[in-house]
Amino acid sequence: MMDYYINAFATLFVTIDPVGLAPMFLAITAGMSQADRRRVAIRATLTAAAILLVFYASGQTVLNVLGISVSAFRVAGGILLFLIAIEMIFGKRQQRKSETAEKAMEAETHQGSIHELAIFPLAIPLIAGPAAISAIILLSSQAPDTLTYAGLGGVIAIILLSCLGAFLLADKIERLLGDTAQLVITRLLGVLLAALSVQFVADGILAFIQG
């Protein structure tokens, strides 16, 4: 059970990357007061939590309705996570996220509703993006029993609290790490995610063969 939780935490932490979201949060909320930033951080985290909770609770049902086997989703999810890992290793993912954030910020400023940035792009897709959703459905399908499945909910909650903490301490995190440290950490996490994604694919293929 402990191995499952460690694997789940590592997968979600690397996929969502709370520390990497900190500088983007600062850029998106530039010019806001501390109180407004706090409200945006809380709203974004709660929105992302609601989205991820839906897929955590109904992910297996969605697969059953669509007629997708767990093995097939493991392979597909593993491939998706591997692509994310490649982007992290070669520094493309942070650039893509930054571009998404900048476009959304420009659009929301034009509409005069900057607080909506808590929904897009912070909650969607920076926290609750396709990779995070896929990872949660994948991990949910791997839970061996109800108790372990319930524990996964606790892991998700910890990751989301990490995001909230990263947002609230964004300025300190950015000063502490610096650009070089952020690049090194991102690439190391990318290698870890690549290994985890290959394991997902291998497990899915093995299940296909045994089935």
Side-chain angles (χ1 to χ4, degrees):
M1 185 182 292
M2 188 55 62
D3 288 342
Y4 173 83
Y5 289 144
I6 293 173
N7 183 40
F9 179 83
T11 301
L12 291 175
F13 189 86
V14 172
T15 302
I16 296 176
D17 188 16
V19 176
L21 291 178
M24 276 180 280
F25 176 79
L26 286 177
I28 291 170
T29 59
M32 288 187 183
S33 66
Q34 283 297 109
D36 285 338
R37 276 185 169 176
R38 191 177 303 111
R39 281 193 287 270
V40 169
I42 294 172
R43 184 176 182 182
T45 305
L46 290 177
T47 302
I51 294 168
L52 295 180
L53 179 62
V54 169
F55 288 95
Y56 165 66
S58 62
Q60 186 63 56
T61 303
V62 171
L63 293 182
N64 293 337
V65 169
L66 296 177
I68 301 173
S69 69
V70 173
S71 300
F73 195 85
R74 283 180 183 174
V75 174
I79 292 173
L80 175 60
L81 294 178
F82 185 78
L83 294 176
I84 295 295
I86 294 298
E87 286 188 335
M88 292 174 68
I89 293 171
F90 291 100
K92 299 295 184 182
R93 189 173 189 234
Q94 201 75 1
Q95 179 183 345
R96 179 168 57 80
K97 279 190 170 185
S98 298
E99 290 173 354
T100 300
E102 288 172 5
K103 289 178 182 178
M105 186 166 57
E106 291 172 1
E108 291 296 339
T109 303
H110 178 68
Q111 294 171 12
S113 181
I114 198 166
H115 290 292
E116 293 303 314
L117 292 171
I119 309 299
F120 180 82
L122 282 175
I124 311 168
L126 295 184
I127 301 177
I133 291 171
S134 298
I136 285 176
I137 296 177
L138 190 61
L139 291 167
S140 298
S141 68
Q142 291 182 324
D145 50 52
T146 304
L147 182 61
T148 306
Y149 177 78
L152 175 61
V155 173
I156 295 172
I158 291 172
I159 297 296
L160 288 170
L161 287 175
S162 299
C163 289
L164 178 60
F167 290 159
L168 296 178
L169 300 173
D171 54 342
K172 295 179 181 178
I173 291 174
E174 189 173 44
R175 287 198 302 269
L176 179 64
L177 292 180
D179 292 338
T180 301
Q182 288 184 46
L183 289 174
V184 172
I185 292 173
T186 298
R187 280 158 174 75
L188 287 175
L189 291 176
V191 173
L192 176 61
L193 182 59
L196 288 171
S197 63
V198 170
Q199 186 63 55
F200 285 143
V201 173
D203 290 343
I205 293 175
L206 184 61
F208 266 128
I209 295 173
Q210 293 178 343

